[in-house]
Amino acid sequence: MFDKLTYIERRKALHNSGLKGVGLILGNIESSMNFPENTFHFRQDSSFLYFFGLDFPGLAGVVDFDSGEDYIFGDDVDIEDIIWMGKQVPLKENAAKAGVKNTAPFNELFKFISKAIKSGRKIHFLPPYRAANKMILEQLLGISSFQVREHASIEFIKAIIPIRSVKDANEINEIEKACATGYEMHVTAMKMAYPDVWEQKIAGTIEGIAVAGGAMPSFPIILTQHGETLHNHSHAEFLKKGNLMLTDAGAESGMHYASDFTRTVPVGGKFTQKQREIYEIVLAANNHGHKLTKPGVSYLSVHFSVAEVITTKLKELGLMKGDVKEAVRNGAHALFMPHGLGHMMGLDVHDMEDLGEINVGYDEEIRPVSQFGTAYLRLGKKLKPGYVITNEPGIYFIPDLIDKWQHEKINTDFINFEKLNEYRNFGGIRLEDDVLVTETGSRILGKRIPIHPDDIESVMQ
Ligand code: GLY
Ligand code: MN
Ligand code: MN
């Protein structure tokens, strides 16, 4: 945990947001895998961690906007628990570490909320993403667990997002720890990427590095020779010479701050000419995105500027044609990069995505674009110092998508389908770095994982 003052200050910012009523932030409970006592690794809710700091199951935090008081509800363990889990720190003592004086058993939360509702006070809560919390909210509020997400407080969401978006020096330090683990994961994967090695063996090895780094991967590892499938979680194949291996993986720090990197390497350690040509385009796109990442710039404009770089260079290779700006306006680049350039990162790898992508990534000024490809851009709004984002351009050759566009004559003025057919088995390349927006520009977090093709080849030797 950080110092208790950190949590006091964070809640103070929430109290100063002008809301009335009660702010309820449910922590997570254990989640069973295959029988009740055999649970998945526990992961606390990120907003609970941010404002109340305690990394244990079965807690709820309340910010009383009317009285100015904060509460943690949860149960102390009994002798049975102590026999199995060892001696536990009492809730009162743990809550004090987050600067919270008021504690009560979890059941008291029902009385507290019921009394607040009877007095006509509004209960602000966040959109639940776990079934258990949907059921608790149903019990607390009398709203069906199937509908409770729709009743989440947009004012509460909008108060929390700006506070969590700007990372302080201690948070950056945590993210850099996660980046250091991510570095080790990726360099290890590169060194293992030789013919006949099972993808699962590499994925499992780097997952172990994430766990040894203090916590766990920040999301399920993507490691595949089918990089054209954007989030391919199958690791079933054996590596083959001539293929590319795409690894999209990151770690959480011990305090659950994320890293998220992607590298793409040639199985066996040597890029072919064809692979290097596409790789160099993605690298130029990544560097261009980083150069444009600065305060005051809208990330939507960075996304489109990167799309222009990709289009210009694919045109030079003969895969695209026509006017570059017009091609990008028509979304032709999305055949090759059908996803957004990046996203916010923090306590969640896609930071605060549970609070709604549109609330986190957009505002009144910059609205989401529904065009194919750009619709998947999770962040569009203007950047501010303290934001941590990922830049992750890619070029993919997705046979089904190519066939669909060719068949339906989509963007035929800008795509050279004949030449494209030579790339049907190419796979995909994505290069992802984590970047801090500073007062004057941006800085790549952690030691940059080898990214230049020569450096990748030399690490792999
Ligand atoms: N880890 C998925 C992503 O890069 O956004
Ligand atoms: Mn990623
Ligand atoms: Mn990412």
Side-chain angles (χ1 to χ4, degrees):
M1 279 179 77
F2 295 124
D3 186 87
K4 73 176 176 194
L5 279 177
T6 301
Y7 302 100
I8 292 171
E9 287 299 320
R10 288 172 175 181
R11 291 194 303 273
K12 198 152 121 200
L14 211 44
H15 280 290
N16 289 339
S17 61
L19 292 181
K20 299 261 176 292
V22 173
L24 169 65
I25 301 179
L26 292 178
N28 282 331
I29 63 166
E30 296 277 19
S31 181
S32 299
M33 284 194 293
N34 51 342
F35 56 90
E37 293 299 319
N38 205 26
T39 55
F40 289 105
H41 186 82
F42 174 69
R43 177 54 159 83
Q44 184 58 289
D45 174 76
S46 296
S47 288
F48 186 88
L49 267 182
Y50 187 86
F51 291 105
F52 292 93
L54 301 183
D55 195 4
F56 314 105
L59 305 173
V62 164
V63 177
D64 189 327
F65 296 115
D66 303 329
S67 71
E69 292 290 326
D70 301 324
Y71 302 80
I72 294 179
F73 293 86
D75 295 326
D76 278 318
V77 298
D78 57 23
I79 187 66
E80 298 259 337
D81 296 314
I82 291 170
I83 291 167
W84 290 96
M85 299 155 57
K87 220 168 164 56
Q88 304 292 309
V89 178
L91 178 63
K92 192 111 202 131
E93 207 176 299
N94 271 329
K97 295 177 195 160
V100 176
K101 292 188 290 294
N102 306 306
T103 59
F106 197 85
N107 260 338
E108 296 288 322
L109 178 66
F110 291 87
K111 288 186 208 148
F112 184 97
I113 296 294
S114 154
K115 191 168 154 210
I117 292 172
K118 283 201 188 102
S119 334
R121 300 168 72 202
K122 180 162 168 93
I123 312 298
H124 299 273
F125 62 94
L126 303 175
Y129 50 89
R130 287 201 186 184
N133 280 349
K134 289 182 189 176
M135 289 161 75
I136 290 173
L137 287 169
E138 178 174 288
Q139 290 292 310
L140 284 169
L141 307 168
I143 305 169
S144 155
S145 58
F146 291 100
Q147 270 124 35
V148 73
R149 270 182 73 82
E150 295 147 38
H151 294 264
S153 164
I154 188 70
E155 303 104 292
F156 199 27
I157 288 169
K158 289 195 167 169
I160 288 176
I161 288 172
I163 301 173
R164 279 186 57 187
S165 292
V166 175
K167 276 71 182 176
D168 67 20
N170 289 328
E171 294 181 281
I172 300 303
N173 189 36
E174 280 299 310
I175 293 173
E176 298 223 70
K177 286 184 202 165
C179 289
T181 308
Y183 183 100
E184 208 183 322
M185 292 164 76
H186 278 272
V187 169
T188 301
M190 285 176 193
K191 289 181 177 167
M192 290 179 77
Y194 276 80
D196 302 327
V197 177
W198 192 23
E199 291 168 344
Q200 176 75 11
K201 174 143 182 151
I202 310 178
T205 302
I206 68 172
E207 178 150 349
I209 294 173
V211 176
M216 58 184 187
S218 52
F219 59 94
I221 287 168
I222 298 163
L223 188 146
T224 175
Q225 294 166 100
H226 286 289
E228 75 280 9
T229 304
L230 301 183
H231 282 179
N232 191 342
H233 292 297
S234 162
H235 311 133
E237 295 188 7
F238 287 80
L239 298 188
K240 280 196 211 74
K241 195 166 170 56
N243 284 351
L244 291 166
M245 181 183 85
L246 182 150
T247 307
D248 184 350
E252 287 194 349
S253 72
M255 287 179 63
H256 303 291
Y257 284 85
S259 64
D260 178 12
F261 299 109
T262 309
R263 289 294 184 265
T264 310
V265 305
V267 174
K270 201 95 190 123
F271 287 99
T272 64
Q273 179 63 22
K274 198 172 177 183
Q275 288 170 342
R276 201 176 252 261
E277 282 167 0
I278 300 293
Y279 190 99
E280 298 271 11
I281 300 176
V282 183
L283 179 55
N286 175 301
N287 287 332
H288 185 72
H290 172 42
K291 200 175 81 205
L292 295 185
T293 299
K294 37 174 102 120
V297 173
S298 85
Y299 200 64
L300 186 66
S301 72
V302 180
H303 171 88
F304 281 123
S305 186
V306 165
E308 285 182 14
V309 167
I310 288 174
T311 304
T312 303
K313 290 178 179 286
L314 285 176
K315 204 177 134 182
E316 283 163 18
L317 260 190
L319 286 165
M320 292 187 78
K321 57 187 179 177
D323 181 73
V324 168
K325 283 197 187 300
E326 210 185 322
V328 170
R329 243 193 326 274
N330 282 278
H333 60 281
L335 177 62
F336 302 95
M337 188 175 97
H339 64 69
L341 181 62
H343 51 84
M344 302 274 262
M345 194 184 75
L347 276 168
D348 308 296
V349 64
H350 292 173
D351 209 21
M352 300 173 277
E353 200 158 284
D354 60 316
L355 305 185
E357 212 168 280
I358 191 165
N359 300 319
V360 177
Y362 294 87
D363 53 21
E364 299 308 318
E365 187 190 347
I366 299 180
R367 306 302 299 160
V369 175
S370 60
Q371 191 179 56
F372 175 72
T374 311
Y376 295 115
L377 179 62
R378 295 184 167 95
L379 173 65
K381 69 186 180 187
K382 283 187 179 156
L383 302 173
K384 291 191 177 155
Y387 283 12
V388 172
I389 63 162
T390 69
N391 281 329
E392 48 179 305
I395 293 180
Y396 314 89
F397 297 89
I398 307 168
D400 291 280
L401 187 60
I402 295 169
D403 291 343
K404 179 179 160 66
W405 280 35
Q406 186 163 22
H407 183 69
E408 294 176 14
K409 301 192 169 24
I410 297 169
N411 280 318
T412 46
D413 289 345
F414 308 111
I415 311 287
N416 183 349
F417 284 102
E418 208 176 293
K419 175 102 178 149
L420 196 48
N421 274 320
E422 296 167 19
Y423 287 77
R424 291 182 74 85
N425 299 318
F426 184 96
I429 294 177
R430 176 162 66 249
L431 296 173
E432 175 174 31
D433 289 322
D434 301 338
V435 176
L436 168 69
V437 182
T438 62
E439 292 294 331
T440 52
S442 63
R443 132 174 121 75
I444 289 178
L445 290 170
K447 180 171 153 198
R448 199 179 194 192
I449 299 167
I451 195 166
H452 191 279
D454 292 342
D455 294 338
I456 301 241
E457 287 183 354
S458 111
V459 167
M460 292 180 76
Q461 289 317 306

